[in-house]
Amino acid sequence: MIALHEASITVEEGETVTVLGANAAGKTTLLNGISGLVPLRHGTILFNGESIENLPAHERVARGLIQVPEGRLVFPFMSVEDNLRLGAFTPRARVHLKSSLERVYDLFPRLPERKAQLAGSLSGGEQQMLALGRGLMALPRLLMLDEPSLGLAPLLVQEVMDRVARIRAEGVTVLIVEQNVNQTLKFADRGYVLENGWVALSGSAAELGASDEVRKAYLGM
Amino acid sequence: MKVGIRRVMFFALIVAFVITGGHLFAGGAAEPAPAEEVGITTLRVGALFPQTGGMAFGGSNALQGTQIAVDLFNETNPHGITVELFDADAPDPATGTTGVRQLITQQNVDVVMGTFSSAVASATAPAAERLNVLYVETTAWAEGITRNTSNVLRTTISSGSLGAAAADFILTGLAEELGVAEADMRVALVFTDDEFGTSIADAAVGRIDDSPARLVVRESYPAATTSDLSSVLLRIQQERPHAVIHIAQVPDGVLFWRQAQQLGVDMPAVVGVGGGYGQEDFARPLGTNSDGIFNVVPPTSGSINVESLTPEAQNLLSELQSRVEARGWTQGPYTDWGFMGTWVFLNEIVPNAASTSIEDMMAAAANVNVDALDSITGFGFEFAGVDHENSGQNLRAIPVVQQWQDQRLRVTYPRDLAVADFINVPLPPWEERTQPIRQ
Amino acid sequence: MKIVDSTPISPAAARITAAAVLVLLLLLPLFIRNIYWIDLGVTVLIWASLATAWNISGGFAGGLSLGHAAFFGVGAYTSTLLFLRLGITPWIGIFVGAVLAGLLGALLGVITFRLKGPFFVLATLAFGIVIHIINVNWRGLTRGAAGLLLPFRGGPQNMLFLNLWAYWYLALGLLVLTVGISAAIERSRLGYYLVALREDEDAARSLGVRVVRSKVVAAATSAALAACVGSVYAAFIQYIDPDSTTQFELSVQIALVAIVGGMGTTFGPVLGAAIVIPLGEILRARVGGGAALVVYGLLLMVIVLAAPNGAIAGVRLLVLRFRRLIQSRGATDA
Amino acid sequence: MQLVLQIIANGLLIGGLYALLAVGLTLIFGVLRVVNFAHAEFMMLGMYGAYWLWALYGLDPYLSVFLVTPVIFLLGVAVDRLIVRRSIGKPDVTVVFATLGLSIFLQNAALTLWRADIRSVSTFATGSVFVVGGVRLSVAMTVSFAVALLFALALWIFLTRTMYGKGIQAVAQNRRAAALMGIDVKRAYMITYSVAVAAAGAMGVLVAPIFTIFPRVGQTQIVTIFVIVVLGGLGSVPGAVIAALLVGIIRSGAGFLFGTAWGELAYFAVFLLVLIVRPQGLFGRRGAEVYGG
Amino acid sequence: MLDVQNVTVDFVGLRAVDHASFTVEQGQIVGLIGPNGAGKTTLFNVVSGMIRPTSGSVLFEGKDLSRLGPADRNRLGIGRTFQVVKPFGGMTVLDNVVVGALTRGQSRSDARETARATLDRLRLGRFENTVARSLPLALRKRLEVARALATGPKLLLLDEIMGGLNPTEVNETLALIQELNSEGLTFLVIEHNMSAIMRIAEKVLVLNQGALLTEGPPAVITRDPQVISVYLGEPIEST
């Protein structure tokens, strides 16, 4: 479904794939490269068989390639609901705006309580929920999550991970970058280990979790 | 190695200092060689006018007048004197100063003529003074140019006399026409805060303060950045002056009138002083509403009754006009003043001067006596002596009062120079006017 | 992720180059006879000093001032008025002007130190305009638009010379002073603090950098030096008026010169003056005032968009290339 | 009392003119984080557009506004592509001086092309006046005033009620996140910039019959507009409108009380004071002043 | 050493810190935890002087700090890092650290020496001439620590320096903190990584909605039902 040559990665429909790696290994750059926020020096990205590496970011979004960025990046001076509506900005998503909104409110029951509140006044955890919800509003064919648990209290980390697992269970294809390796490997299907922009290792989640190399380098054991 | 380089550099610096120090002392001041000959056979004239920048249009007109005067002088040449003309650009004081130095030290000119811009002249006339060279000002009006220097002959009017003339006119001719006693006159003064506006305003204020009349509004504003004069107009509306002196450029002049009409501010008489009020661009948008607005300026060939000039002066004027036309230029007031000032200087002063030194030139200037009717501009020439506070000023450069009548400026005062009678005194109130201010 | 290394040009090389240029400038009078070139040269030196002064607060501290003409004007007017009214020689007046402008700069520093980016720019712009309005309207003091004429009295003891070369040396001395101070600041504790504050104020504070003090010292120094240049300018032109001293356009040009040369570096502003002033002069002479400014505007856009580090960055690059070339030669020789 | 009302009316009318410029300037800052120093130059171009169409074809400015505005819009598109877009996100020096350079360029291009001659335009409205309760209102100024307020209102509705408007707000609040919503950020920049300068151009056409036209006419306005947008809070559209009306009244009142020159000084002093005490402006969001680039 | 007394911070319409009082003793490593938005970073800003509290006071080594700004507090010995890193982007890594050393009154050459030593210690030595902006995030975080260390602090406030680090990197960081602590440096550490905090902290402060919920040794805190319900979600097993 997706390919990034040199750091070649494939995600099949319905899968949950995680990318591990030390800091500066290039994980965020990888996601931004796929989203079109940073230009690729070379290489190709195939999305549903279509080569998209020359498309601008917004057209990749229109094709259902959605990223929930690191640091959440909600629109602070807009209401929660407006944030969600903007998630469905593309015409493809806009026609389903109403049902998407219901689905998101259903998945994150704290959001409807605060729909008129400015997003900037939400706590970090709520903002992360909002960012996830906003991502879902776009009807992703591939949902890329960049460090969804970063900077969150343990309680919230569990909640977020729980929601990610539910999103996955609904059949959304997920590509997740997360330092919380233990938790991520619990629900991912497969994983890649990135080192200096190269794929150093890949395999099923179970294989990676059992790999001594991975345990030593990333699990602190 | 490092130490070596440092030592070499240090040594080089010392050497450089010594050499240049010696050069400086040996060189001394660059005094121009004094003219030894008695009587002048060739005269090198530097012409310093703004030819680029915002003042290029008027500056070029003045320069063209000077050029034509020099050409004409060389062609007729009754005194066996050849004049060579060198010109330099003076868009601002700093560049003008460079220009003066260059003209004097590189082109070795004997006299510098200029300058159209008062700000530039304020810097360039003293620069010439420092190099001991005569400066003939044909077109800039600032009071300080003659007051602060000893090397300036000004053939044209000074701003002080403009302001004084405006006030005099209001206190005498206008008061009489309005039927108001001088002591009861209420005058408003509105002016731009530039050199032009302030120097004229100062003179007007001085004159009004010396009279029994009252100055009821005194407001200045920046000409370049004003987009709203309504507060000034409301002040005028409140104080109900008999006459308003407005010293303006074109944009603010037009704005003033448009807003006066909009606010319904009635003014019995408005007297502009030079600048914007004297230009067609001012009167055109006002249409018939300009009828009756006064303007105080030095007269030009365009505003006086040419028929009354002597035949020689009339010939001179047609010569000027045909040459302007032949070269595809346009004749404006500054062409006249530039031309006539140069012409009088070359014909009446240069032949009678023993040398090109400031003293000899000034001495020759003291004997000049040109009647108004002998001049294409309608004012004569007689220069204030060295003891006068405005030494070198043309005392006969006296402004006239013009009035807009049918989109034309006509001299209406003093009465003996007038080509037309007053109209619209007092100006009709806005309620009685039918035409909005437009073209 | 590209990791960028910065290889500095050695200070020794820079010092030697500067000294060589200085020797050249000192000897220049031996070769030039045309007054026009001397005038232009003095003008370039004056602008170089002015841009260097601006650069201390604008470049090092990152406060893009569009109000520096105010300080230049304060310097020009102070020394001139002291001379005209009290007969005090500009040699003393220049220091009085510097102190006054320094205080004014410090005041501006105190009230604007919190502002960033466009807000700082607009505040300095407004400050410059306020000074200009006062200059134009306080006619009792400044004579407004009529301007002030420095009568030629006394000569050298009053900073008034007949020989233009004297102004050359005066301006050169001033340039050595401003560049010297600028270089000293750049290499000093304060220089580090200013750059740190420019890059991130909160972080700098948390490391013990005193914001107000550093910024105010920089602003005051910058203003005082600009005022010194103003005094020298007044002595050189011997006539000052609001348009030629405190106008907004002047403030823009001061910044422009520094930016074209390379702001935030010691020699950038000097290089900028050597480029911009003659260029402006050529353009004005060749294509006329309006068209010259058209090119000027274009130049400004192109420089800040394509080479925001200014001409000095290009020079740096050349030097580094050249050195690499020499090194590789040396390597093959060996 | 009559006088006070007249002063307020004058201030409001002139404030309305400022508002049309200020709204655009503040919008450009809010979305692009660029202070458009060249903003008033587009007004100047609009004025010349009105002049030439009137002088050459006798077209009334109230008609030519429909021709000139789209042209200025296209010019805005070009300027955005060539200059503004390239300066976004760059250091302060680029952001500030790129448009300052543009301003110098446009002003002097106009000077070179059309000379410093002062021109003026007339319409049926020139010089016509309504009188409402003894207060005199210029028809031309009232028209521009109404257009300015309608424009500001329309813009406000667009920004807060439509999806695309919210998209532009999203760009203003976070460029990266907006791109991830599928918003074409570059297009949003282009539209914002072009609409804003087109509004300035339209204002130029509308005030052509009121003011005289010359190359530096933009300069007579720009600093006032800066004062307004900072006062209103850079980036805040309603703030800009309110501040414009306020500044209009302050100027007209201070001018009457202290004289034009010192009144001018007074309001610059107020401006400095606001910057120092409340840099986010009267209606701006706190923290905006430290966004910088 | 650090004595926070009854500090309250009000933002517009929001009480960020609510009458918080606690102390940090010389030589301690104290953890500061709490849900997002509990006011931890605000409290750091109060201690380091970036913001003034609405009421309450902060004492450092018995000295009331309320009249001092961040620079002066740093000069007294309070160093800090920022949750959102703030490197001097255009400066080299070395110069970043030199700034820290200079404010301690060292000469420029001494400051460079100090800076080099500090960089080596944090294994940033090979990035000396790198422009700080181009460093990856984890190294920028380390640079922040280096910079703060170069000012020779007595108390170091660390704000989520382990966020985004993988477990191995976390281990390295913990080792460094312990090493510095053994040399006498006192720490106040904001961290969400509870297992990390538990391994180094002597005492943990729990902040919730601006108020101090409880404090105590990590082993106790992690079993505190209140802490579990607002923050942890489930007890943390010590490893």
Side-chain angles (χ1 to χ4, degrees), chain B residues 89-105:
Chain B
D89 188 14
D92 55 72
T95 315
T97 308
T98 305
V100 165
R101 289 177 182 147
Q102 207 182 353
L103 285 171
I104 294 173
T105 59

Side-chain angles (χ1 to χ4, degrees), chain B residues 40 69-83 343 346-348 351:
Chain B
I40 298 165
V70 169
D71 289 351
L72 202 56
F73 181 81
N74 282 335
E75 285 166 28
T76 51
N77 200 0
H79 310 283
I81 300 171
T82 318
V83 177
W343 184 251
L346 294 180
N347 283 287
E348 305 294 327

